[in-house]
Amino acid sequence: MTKATRDGIFGLLASQQRGGRAAGHAVTLGPYTYIPAPAHCSAGINGTLTKDGPPVALRATEPILRHFLDVMAELEADLARRWIRSQGSSGFTPAK
Protein backbone atom coordinates (compact mmCIF):
# COMPACT_ATOMS: atom_id res chain seq x y z
CA MET A 1 0.00 0.00 0.00
CA THR A 2 1.27 3.48 -0.77
CA LYS A 3 1.25 6.49 1.52
CA ALA A 4 -1.68 8.90 1.43
CA THR A 5 -1.33 11.89 -0.85
CA ARG A 6 -2.37 15.43 -0.03
CA ASP A 7 -5.90 14.87 -1.34
CA GLY A 8 -6.25 11.72 0.78
CA ILE A 9 -6.21 9.11 -1.97
CA PHE A 10 -4.00 6.07 -1.63
CA GLY A 11 -3.97 5.49 -5.37
CA LEU A 12 -5.43 1.99 -5.46
CA LEU A 13 -8.68 3.11 -7.03
CA ALA A 14 -7.90 6.74 -7.75
CA SER A 15 -10.00 6.88 -10.92
CA GLN A 16 -12.95 5.64 -8.89
CA GLN A 17 -12.42 8.34 -6.28
CA ARG A 18 -12.23 11.25 -8.64
CA GLY A 19 -14.78 10.21 -11.23
CA GLY A 20 -17.26 8.27 -9.13
CA ARG A 21 -18.82 5.03 -10.44
CA ALA A 22 -15.92 4.40 -12.79
CA ALA A 23 -17.39 7.06 -15.14
CA GLY A 24 -15.99 5.42 -18.26
CA HIS A 25 -12.44 5.26 -16.93
CA ALA A 26 -10.46 2.07 -17.29
CA VAL A 27 -9.63 0.42 -13.97
CA THR A 28 -6.67 -1.94 -13.55
CA LEU A 29 -7.54 -5.02 -11.49
CA GLY A 30 -4.33 -6.98 -11.18
CA PRO A 31 -3.46 -8.28 -14.66
CA TYR A 32 -6.93 -7.35 -15.97
CA THR A 33 -8.32 -4.07 -17.24
CA TYR A 34 -11.99 -3.27 -16.69
CA ILE A 35 -13.57 -0.73 -19.03
CA PRO A 36 -17.10 0.12 -17.85
CA ALA A 37 -19.92 0.86 -20.23
CA PRO A 38 -20.59 4.59 -20.59
CA ALA A 39 -23.21 5.76 -18.09
CA HIS A 40 -25.45 7.24 -20.81
CA CYS A 41 -25.61 4.05 -22.94
CA SER A 42 -28.57 1.72 -23.06
CA ALA A 43 -28.79 -1.28 -20.73
CA GLY A 44 -27.78 -3.57 -23.62
CA ILE A 45 -24.23 -2.17 -23.68
CA ASN A 46 -21.87 -3.87 -21.24
CA GLY A 47 -18.43 -3.08 -19.93
CA THR A 48 -15.49 -5.26 -20.90
CA LEU A 49 -12.66 -7.05 -19.15
CA THR A 50 -9.36 -7.68 -20.95
CA LYS A 51 -6.10 -9.47 -20.29
CA ASP A 52 -3.61 -10.03 -23.10
CA GLY A 53 -6.30 -10.63 -25.71
CA PRO A 54 -9.64 -9.53 -27.06
CA PRO A 55 -12.04 -7.87 -24.61
CA VAL A 56 -14.75 -9.98 -23.01
CA ALA A 57 -18.16 -8.34 -22.59
CA LEU A 58 -19.48 -8.62 -19.05
CA ARG A 59 -23.17 -9.48 -19.09
CA ALA A 60 -24.27 -10.96 -15.77
CA THR A 61 -21.26 -9.92 -13.69
CA GLU A 62 -20.88 -6.23 -14.55
CA PRO A 63 -23.38 -4.95 -11.95
CA ILE A 64 -21.61 -7.04 -9.30
CA LEU A 65 -18.18 -5.76 -10.37
CA ARG A 66 -19.38 -2.14 -10.43
CA HIS A 67 -20.85 -2.53 -6.94
CA PHE A 68 -17.61 -4.11 -5.69
CA LEU A 69 -15.52 -1.26 -7.13
CA ASP A 70 -17.88 1.36 -5.64
CA VAL A 71 -17.62 -0.26 -2.19
CA MET A 72 -13.83 -0.54 -2.48
CA ALA A 73 -13.60 3.16 -3.46
CA GLU A 74 -15.69 4.11 -0.41
CA LEU A 75 -13.48 1.98 1.84
CA GLU A 76 -10.37 3.50 0.33
CA ALA A 77 -11.65 7.04 0.88
CA ASP A 78 -12.54 6.23 4.49
CA LEU A 79 -9.14 4.64 5.10
CA ALA A 80 -7.40 7.66 3.55
CA ARG A 81 -9.33 10.03 5.86
CA ARG A 82 -8.42 7.92 8.89
CA TRP A 83 -4.79 7.68 7.81
CA ILE A 84 -4.46 11.43 7.39
CA ARG A 85 -6.24 12.08 10.70
CA SER A 86 -4.00 9.59 12.54
CA GLN A 87 -0.86 11.23 11.14
CA GLY A 88 -1.80 14.50 12.87
CA SER A 89 -2.54 12.99 16.29
CA SER A 90 0.37 10.74 17.18
CA GLY A 91 0.79 9.55 20.77
CA PHE A 92 4.55 10.04 20.52
CA THR A 93 6.41 13.30 20.87
CA PRO A 94 8.49 14.20 17.81
CA ALA A 95 12.30 13.87 18.06
CA LYS A 96 14.24 17.11 18.28
Side-chain angles (χ1 to χ4, degrees):
M1 190 174 295
T2 61
K3 291 184 179 179
T5 60
R6 288 189 341 190
D7 47 348
I9 298 171
F10 282 88
L12 299 174
L13 296 169
S15 64
Q16 295 288 99
Q17 293 287 337
R18 294 186 182 115
R21 288 203 58 101
H25 295 96
V27 178
T28 302
L29 306 167
Y32 299 92
T33 301
Y34 168 61
I35 303 171
H40 62 277
C41 287
S42 68
I45 305 290
N46 296 317
T48 60
L49 194 64
T50 60
K51 177 189 172 192
D52 301 330
V56 176
L58 302 174
R59 292 188 183 103
T61 57
E62 184 175 24
I64 297 166
L65 182 58
R66 277 187 185 243
H67 178 69
F68 172 76
L69 291 174
D70 290 344
V71 169
M72 291 302 292
E74 290 173 23
L75 290 172
E76 181 184 23
D78 184 53
L79 181 61
R81 282 190 295 275
R82 291 176 189 219
W83 179 271
I84 300 261
R85 189 172 34 219
S86 73
Q87 296 300 311
S89 60
S90 175
F92 300 101
T93 56
K96 292 184 179 188

